[in-house]
Amino acid sequence: MMQYIIIIVFLLLAGCSGSRSESSFDLSSLFGKEETVQIPEESIELNYDPVLLMQRAEAYYVNKQYPEAIEEYKRFIKIHPANKLAGYAQYRIGMSHFNQMKEVDRDPEPVIKALDAFKKVISDYPRSSYREDARIKADMCMERLAEQQFIIGRFYYKNSAYPAAAGRFKQIVKDYPNAKFSEHALYYLGISYIKLKDKGSASQSLEDLLKRYPDTKYKGDARRLLKKLKT
């Protein structure tokens, strides 16, 4: 079985598949879904051979040993940057971090690292067939980060720490303008400024909210507050 795997992977890495793109291959499926995957042992050959490097990285990934998988994919890219599966390896780095994401209020580090990895797929491998999925996953990461910031901002707001709350909401609007939490952030930014007695900034935030999200659920309250701010 392992010899069969090595032959298939070799054909993929050596480019013997003609004009087929990387999207034609699902390397993880080569190892099966039920059985425990054997990870090739270290050897001098493994340090350079693309087949063994990818086989080892995929084995770690399938076994959910993501930190080890990340290191092997990085090594593959470092040694074989021009290989047609380098973009796939970079995508797998992103997925390895993505699969380690926890609840939204937990450590954001895996989310940040996943986002950075997916952005690298988009920027460094424009012809990769994993580029579109990397873009989707990057958007999901940004949504998660925006949600984390919003939870923190709301905590500050509820505890009357309005300067800190406004800082968080402002960061969401600036860093994640397309995230759905940007709508909520604009509203809470407006009312945070009201609490801080900054009428100009409050009006600007609420006007931006109504302009960007004309059907927002905060529409009635935002209009009422704007009217009050201008009197």
Side-chain angles (χ1 to χ4, degrees), residues 56-107:
R56 187 177 176 86
E58 286 292 295
Y60 277 131
Y61 185 89
V62 172
N63 282 324
K64 299 183 179 180
Q65 294 176 255
Y66 298 121
E68 294 84 354
I70 289 167
E71 291 307 309
E72 294 302 322
Y73 289 125
K74 285 183 177 178
R75 179 150 56 152
F76 181 93
I77 294 170
K78 182 178 180 179
I79 297 173
H80 305 286
N83 189 286
K84 70 178 180 179
L85 287 178
Y88 172 82
Q90 181 61 43
Y91 171 77
R92 281 297 220 194
I93 291 171
M95 287 304 302
S96 295
H97 289 300
F98 189 85
N99 290 336
Q100 295 180 81
M101 287 163 50
K102 306 296 183 183
E103 289 82 1
V104 71
D105 59 341
R106 298 294 181 87
D107 182 13

Side-chain angles (χ1 to χ4, degrees), residues 47-201:
N47 290 327
Y48 303 99
D49 187 278
V51 174
L52 294 175
L53 282 173
M54 183 58 75
Q55 182 187 350
R56 187 177 176 86
E58 286 292 295
Y60 277 131
Y61 185 89
V62 172
N63 282 324
K64 299 183 179 180
Q65 294 176 255
Y66 298 121
E68 294 84 354
I70 289 167
E71 291 307 309
E72 294 302 322
Y73 289 125
K74 285 183 177 178
R75 179 150 56 152
F76 181 93
I77 294 170
K78 182 178 180 179
I79 297 173
H80 305 286
N83 189 286
K84 70 178 180 179
L85 287 178
Y88 172 82
Q90 181 61 43
Y91 171 77
R92 281 297 220 194
I93 291 171
M95 287 304 302
S96 295
H97 289 300
F98 189 85
N99 290 336
Q100 295 180 81
M101 287 163 50
K102 306 296 183 183
E103 289 82 1
V104 71
D105 59 341
R106 298 294 181 87
D107 182 13
E109 185 178 3
V111 190
I112 295 169
K113 288 184 174 180
L115 177 58
D116 289 342
F118 290 132
K119 283 183 175 179
K120 196 170 180 64
V121 175
I122 296 166
S123 63
D124 293 5
Y125 303 96
R127 298 179 64 185
S128 172
S129 34
Y130 294 93
R131 191 168 183 263
E132 184 56 34
D133 194 59
R135 190 185 301 281
I136 293 170
K137 293 296 193 304
D139 287 344
M140 292 172 66
C141 290
M142 286 191 284
E143 194 69 59
R144 175 70 72 92
L145 291 171
E147 184 177 4
Q148 288 175 335
Q149 291 296 325
F150 184 74
I151 289 171
I152 296 170
R154 280 247 300 186
F155 172 82
Y156 285 139
Y157 182 85
K158 288 180 179 180
N159 286 277
S160 303
Y162 302 121
R168 294 287 178 167
F169 298 136
K170 190 174 182 179
Q171 184 179 349
I172 294 170
V173 175
K174 177 185 175 184
D175 295 345
Y176 314 109
N178 298 318
K180 67 180 182 180
F181 280 92
S182 184
E183 174 186 350
H184 307 304
L186 275 170
Y187 173 74
Y188 275 91
L189 181 58
I191 59 177
S192 294
Y193 280 134
I194 290 174
K195 295 291 187 179
L196 292 168
K197 303 187 185 306
D198 185 345
K199 291 186 176 182
S201 296

